[in-house]
């Protein structure tokens, strides 16, 4: 039987690396769109790229979401059966500082891919990485596929454009196009500037005497955190459905950033106490301030209350998350400890 061909944008990112592993195990031929960077950006996929195992089934191509010609060329050359569109300027805080670039990569990036599919081969199945960030200021909780989107960041607004565009191409051109509305998902491969990785990395270093203090922003927003390794399975399942549709992917459990910090402190056996309020809130351990608040990490607007209801995914995709937050934290601490011990 002919092997299926997948093209992944954002292959060097957290999800791209887990999805590549998952599809290669399923005997796909995997191609990735990889942007040129001044330093190597392939750390998360080097184990797939180097060596003989996937020599004939794993390929990278230079391209960029801001360069329509490169996208079109890769799609025509690779002739994928499925496209997983994961690439994005994915940091919400950065989107306030680079709103135009964020909109160009996310909103126009998705348009460029969908247009290429429409013109070249409308049989290609398309997965779009939508996000819980689109719920923004909503007062409804938990959030599901029917909840009104009220995004409050350039990132969330650009993602809503991509989400609606994906639906539009599905309805207008009958393209098999799905969006996964994924809630926050983390892993040892999470980017350093996202809050979970930042907290774990700093507290491991503080415990080892390699850092003095961790500076954070809003401790009181709440997130529904899952494990990226499980979430990419749902992305694949969506493209195997009989009909294209959109699905919320979440755990249905919610914690504040402060509770997350406390869980990490507890696993690392760092004992101390919280004191102060607002910008003066801090955590001290043996008379030393090891966590403090900095204005720098607050956003002009924040999404404060994310909690997903993924009943539809359970029913139609037979997908549900198994990994608990404490186990995810344990895995991330283990990885950070290895890195800290090697430096
Ligand atoms: P990530 O780790 O930040 O990866 C983003 C990927 O996009 C990287 O491969 C990055 O390349 C690539 N990229 C950025 N700008 C590009 C450009 N101009 N052209 C080509 N590639 C570009 O993100 P992730 O956590 O894996 O998330 C994957 C997708 O899901 C993103 O679209 C994100 O917005 C969305 N999402 C994520 C979550 C979550 O909690 N993780 C939740 C909902 C939705 P470099 O490696 O060179 O930077
Ligand atoms: N990054 C960061 N750094 N966030 C902080 C900090 C800090 O020092 N201190 C507090 N926070 C708060 C943020 O204000 C936010 O409320 C929460 O921690 C989570 O921030 P991030 O980890 O940066 O994730 P995010 O929720 O903004 O965005 C992630 O999840 C989205 C899905 O809801 C990203 O992965 C997005 O790409 C994704 O779409």
């Amino acid at each position: 039987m002919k092997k299926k061909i997948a093209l992944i944008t954002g292959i060097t990112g957290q999800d791209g690396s887990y999805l590549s592993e998952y599809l290669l195990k399923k005997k796909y031929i995997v191609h990735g769109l990889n942007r040129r960077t001044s330093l190597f950006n392939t750390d998360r996929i080097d184990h797939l790229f180097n060596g003989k195992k996937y020599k004939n089934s794993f390929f990278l191509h230079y391209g960029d979401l801001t360069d329509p010609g490169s996208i079109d060329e890769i799609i025509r050359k690779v002739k994928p059966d499925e496209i997983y569109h994961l690439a994005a300027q994915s940091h919400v805080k950065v989107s306030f500082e680079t709103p135009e670039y964020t909109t160009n990569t996310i909103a126009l990036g998705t348009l460029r891919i969908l247009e290429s599919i429409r013109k070249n081969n409308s049989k290609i199945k398309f997965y779009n990485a939508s996000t819980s960030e689109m719920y923004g200021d909503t007062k409804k909780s938990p959030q599901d596929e029917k909840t009104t989107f009220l995004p409050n960041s350039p990132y969330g607004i650009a993602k809503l454009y991509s989400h609606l565009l994906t639906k539009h191409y599905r309805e207008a051109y009958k393209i098999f196009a799905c969006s996964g509305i994924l809630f926050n998902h983390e892993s040892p491969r999470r980017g350093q500037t996202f809050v979970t990785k930042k907290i774990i990395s700093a507290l491991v270093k503080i415990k080892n005497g390699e850092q003095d203090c961790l500076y954070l922003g809003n401790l009181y927003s709440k997130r529904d955190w899952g494990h990226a390794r499980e979430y990419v399975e749902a992305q694949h399942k969506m493209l195997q459905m009989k009909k294209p549709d959109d699905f919320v992917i979440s755990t249905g459990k919610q914690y504040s950033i402060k509770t997350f910090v406390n869980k990490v402190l507890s696993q690392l056996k760092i004992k101390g106490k919280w004191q102060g309020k607002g910008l003066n809130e801090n955590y001290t351990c043996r008379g030393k301030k090891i966590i403090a608040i900095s204005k720098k990490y607050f956003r002009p607007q924040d999404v404060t209350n994310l909690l997903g209801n993924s009943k539809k995914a359970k029913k139609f995709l037979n997908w549900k998350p198994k990994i608990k937050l404490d186990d995810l934290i344990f895995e991330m601490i283990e990885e950070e400890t290895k890195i800290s011990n090697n430096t």
Side-chain angles (χ1 to χ4, degrees), residues 14-31:
Q14 171 187 257
D15 288 13
S17 67
Y18 282 114
L19 181 64
S20 297
E21 282 171 6
Y22 185 73
L23 295 179
L24 287 166
K25 276 196 195 121
K26 289 200 164 291
K27 307 281 178 228
Y28 274 65
I29 296 184
V30 175
H31 293 260

Side-chain angles (χ1 to χ4, degrees), residues 9-16 33-35 37 41 44 63-66 85-91 101 105-106 129-132 155 159 180-186 189-191 194 235:
T9 72
I11 195 154
T12 55
Q14 171 187 257
D15 288 13
L33 180 150
N34 172 27
R35 67 168 164 173
T37 47
N41 62 353
R44 294 179 175 109
D64 198 295
L65 289 179
T66 60
H85 174 38
L86 310 179
Q89 189 304 91
S90 71
H91 203 282
Y101 174 72
T105 60
I106 295 179
S130 280
T131 165
S132 47
Y155 170 83
K159 281 285 184 182
I181 307 168
L182 271 56
F183 282 62
N184 298 49
H185 46 282
E186 318 294 309
R189 298 183 193 170
R190 187 59 146 146
F194 296 98
Q235 298 172 354

Side-chain angles (χ1 to χ4, degrees), residues 188 197 200-205 207-208 210 264 267-268 329-343:
K197 180 80 167 178
I200 290 173
S201 168
L203 290 178
V204 166
K205 288 196 184 104
K207 188 178 161 100
N208 290 347
E210 295 159 0
V264 179
Q267 287 206 27
L268 286 170
I329 291 175
F330 181 84
E331 198 185 322
M332 291 176 75
I333 289 180
E334 256 199 328
E335 177 69 14
E336 248 5 92
T337 307
K338 263 191 241 156
I339 297 169
S340 174
N341 290 343
N342 285 337
T343 49

Side-chain angles (χ1 to χ4, degrees), residues 41-57:
N41 62 353
T42 54
D43 281 13
R44 294 179 175 109
I45 50 168
D46 279 343
H47 62 293
L48 304 173
F49 198 58
N50 300 329
K52 286 190 188 144
K53 192 165 179 194
Y54 298 120
K55 199 172 145 261
N56 297 318
S57 48

Side-chain angles (χ1 to χ4, degrees), residues 118 165-175:
R118 184 180 73 78
L165 194 75
T166 300
K167 184 169 176 287
H168 171 61
Y169 274 63
R170 175 166 81 219
E171 289 168 0
Y173 305 114
K174 311 294 170 228
I175 290 170

Side-chain angles (χ1 to χ4, degrees), residues 261-277:
V261 173
N262 285 332
K263 281 177 173 292
V264 179
L265 288 167
S266 158
Q267 287 206 27
L268 286 170
K269 300 193 172 48
I270 300 176
K271 291 202 175 82
K273 64 171 194 257
W274 287 102
Q275 54 197 15
K277 273 194 173 158

